[in-house]
Amino acid sequence: MKAIRIPDVRQMEVVDLPAVQPQEGEVLLRLQYVGFCGSDLNTFRGGNAMAKPQVIPGHEIGAVIEGLGAGCPDTLKVGQTVTVNPYTACGVCASCRNGRPNACQHNETLGVQRDGAMREYICLPWQKIIPVGEISARDAALIEPMSVGFHAIARGCVTDTDYVVVIGCGMVGLGAVMRANQRGARVIAVDLGQEKLEIAREAGAAYCIDSSTEDVRARVLEITAGYGADVVVEAVGSPVTYVMAVDIVGFTGRVVCIGYSKNDVSFQTRLFVQKELDIRGSRNATPEDFRAVIRLMEKGSVPVERFISGIVKPENALAAMQEWEAAPGKVFRILVDFV
């Protein structure tokens, strides 16, 4: 079977792998569409220290069930369109013991610590398979990154009285925009340039701030009548945006951190104390977050066509990744078509 592999920095190749068959408790998936995400781009660039050598990338999945091993529940059927929860949980670490397996200390994500789904077929435990009803396989590949944004809004305990600032309007950030808007909050989207901000507005942002031309702090204070944001979601992962999040959140506000900064971040820690901030990490997503995204997509209110920058065949994946690296602000989501 055909698969995409990253053998070295800025290299990508299509390889042939042996066919797979489901063992007991496993589901055989025929991949239809798999999305490239920011972690795949970092792996391609050589900047993802967590990625295994020569990894097969891909954890944003739209697939069809091709076969079932013994012991799978009868709710899963051949021909169903599904997506996948791509994380693992050890069951014994502090996170798992506390009922938060999405933050498992020993998590291994498909396409990062484990070979991923950029291939024609894959076998996975049935517990990781999520049926998506009438949602297409193409659109199912968008569910996982949106669910990560949904989880951040859950971590921020967002309500309909909140002003929520989302810094970074990639797929994860847009998931946060949509979920905060769905909860009735007034959403302020922040990004560099107008292209992603236009999509954020379609996704439900009431206000958009171009941080390349506007004073973000001044605009947030203007919008919030001087109070600052109730919740800030940091979905970029840079020292500048982390400092910005603490600066623009209001007193007793919540800062939710999704992005990983590769460099150390220097804070004025007095703001943590003076504002009595709640600073919360947000990692991966829960089954509830996946279900919430699916429900929203079923309503037809997600601008999926705007989310997809391009669809390529496996043989063209290298060129697509090179174009993304050359102009990261111009590319939103690339899907690889295995149909």
Side-chain angles (χ1 to χ4, degrees), residues 214-234:
E214 299 180 77
D215 184 325
V216 176
R217 184 175 187 275
R219 285 283 287 126
V220 169
L221 290 176
E222 177 188 354
I223 293 166
T224 62
Y227 288 104
D230 300 288
V231 181
V232 178
V233 176
E234 199 290 330

Side-chain angles (χ1 to χ4, degrees), residues 3-333:
I4 295 171
R5 185 168 60 192
I6 301 175
D8 209 337
V9 177
R10 291 182 171 83
Q11 295 181 19
M12 187 172 286
E13 61 186 4
V14 179
V15 298
D16 190 49
L17 298 180
V20 292
Q21 292 296 325
Q23 303 302 307
E24 183 173 356
E26 289 186 336
V27 177
L28 173 64
L29 297 183
R30 177 163 52 89
L31 281 306
Q32 304 266 286
Y33 295 90
V34 183
F36 276 127
C37 76
S39 64
D40 298 320
L41 179 60
N42 285 337
T43 300
F44 179 74
R45 289 169 163 169
N48 189 348
M50 294 185 291
K52 71 185 289 287
Q54 301 191 28
V55 70
I56 296 172
H59 60 259
E60 301 176 358
I61 295 168
V64 172
I65 295 178
E66 184 82 1
L68 298 162
C72 293
D74 56 13
T75 53
L76 298 176
K77 303 182 186 303
V78 171
Q80 273 183 315
T81 302
V82 301
T83 191
V84 169
N85 182 328
Y87 326 118
T88 64
C90 69
V92 297
C93 72
S95 300
C96 292
R97 185 179 62 183
N98 291 332
R100 291 160 66 177
N102 58 290
C104 175
Q105 180 179 350
H106 307 292
N107 168 67
E108 294 184 354
T109 299
L110 282 175
V112 185
Q113 296 95 338
R114 295 181 293 154
D115 280 332
M118 285 285 176
R119 58 178 98 180
E120 292 181 286
Y121 296 92
I122 191 171
C123 290
L124 294 169
W126 70 261
Q127 294 92 340
K128 297 299 178 182
I129 308 304
I130 304 173
V132 299
E134 298 302 314
I135 296 171
S136 71
R138 185 200 70 169
D139 295 352
L142 304 174
I143 291 172
E144 189 275 340
M146 285 193 285
S147 74
V148 176
F150 273 46
H151 185 64
I153 296 305
R155 291 285 293 142
C157 301
V158 170
T159 72
D160 59 0
T161 64
D162 289 329
Y163 277 99
V164 177
V165 175
V166 178
I167 306 173
C169 296
M171 276 296 299
V172 171
L174 286 183
V177 168
M178 288 185 288
R179 188 55 161 167
N181 178 63
Q182 190 183 31
R183 289 191 174 197
R186 286 158 290 187
V187 183
I188 305 167
V190 178
D191 208 309
L192 293 163
Q194 289 299 312
E195 292 182 62
K196 289 184 178 180
L197 291 175
E198 289 174 6
I199 301 175
R201 195 179 296 279
E202 289 186 36
Y207 308 92
C208 294
I209 302 174
D210 184 343
S211 58
S212 68
T213 60
E214 299 180 77
D215 184 325
V216 176
R217 184 175 187 275
R219 285 283 287 126
V220 169
L221 290 176
E222 177 188 354
I223 293 166
T224 62
Y227 288 104
D230 300 288
V231 181
V232 178
V233 176
E234 199 290 330
V236 176
S238 80
V240 171
T241 51
Y242 262 94
V243 172
M244 179 191 295
V246 172
D247 191 35
I248 65 178
V249 72
F251 277 62
T252 68
R254 287 96 73 196
V255 176
V256 182
C257 307
I258 307 176
Y260 284 86
S261 175
K262 301 180 185 67
N263 301 308
D264 292 342
V265 183
S266 297
F267 291 107
Q268 295 184 49
T269 54
R270 63 176 178 81
L271 296 179
F272 295 10
V273 178
Q274 288 178 345
K275 292 185 176 183
E276 198 176 54
L277 298 179
D278 291 337
I279 298 178
R280 305 175 182 184
S282 181
R283 187 179 179 195
N284 299 330
T286 67
E288 181 184 8
D289 299 315
F290 278 86
R291 291 194 298 270
V293 173
I294 290 169
R295 285 195 295 269
L296 186 62
M297 293 185 77
E298 287 173 338
K299 294 177 181 177
S301 55
V302 177
V304 291
E305 299 295 338
R306 295 281 275 155
F307 292 173
I308 300 171
S309 301
I311 299 176
V312 300
K313 289 293 187 178
E315 292 76 13
N316 298 319
L318 172 59
M321 189 64 83
Q322 289 170 333
E323 290 176 11
W324 189 9
E325 183 183 23
K330 303 291 184 183
V331 175
F332 201 71
R333 204 32 120 246

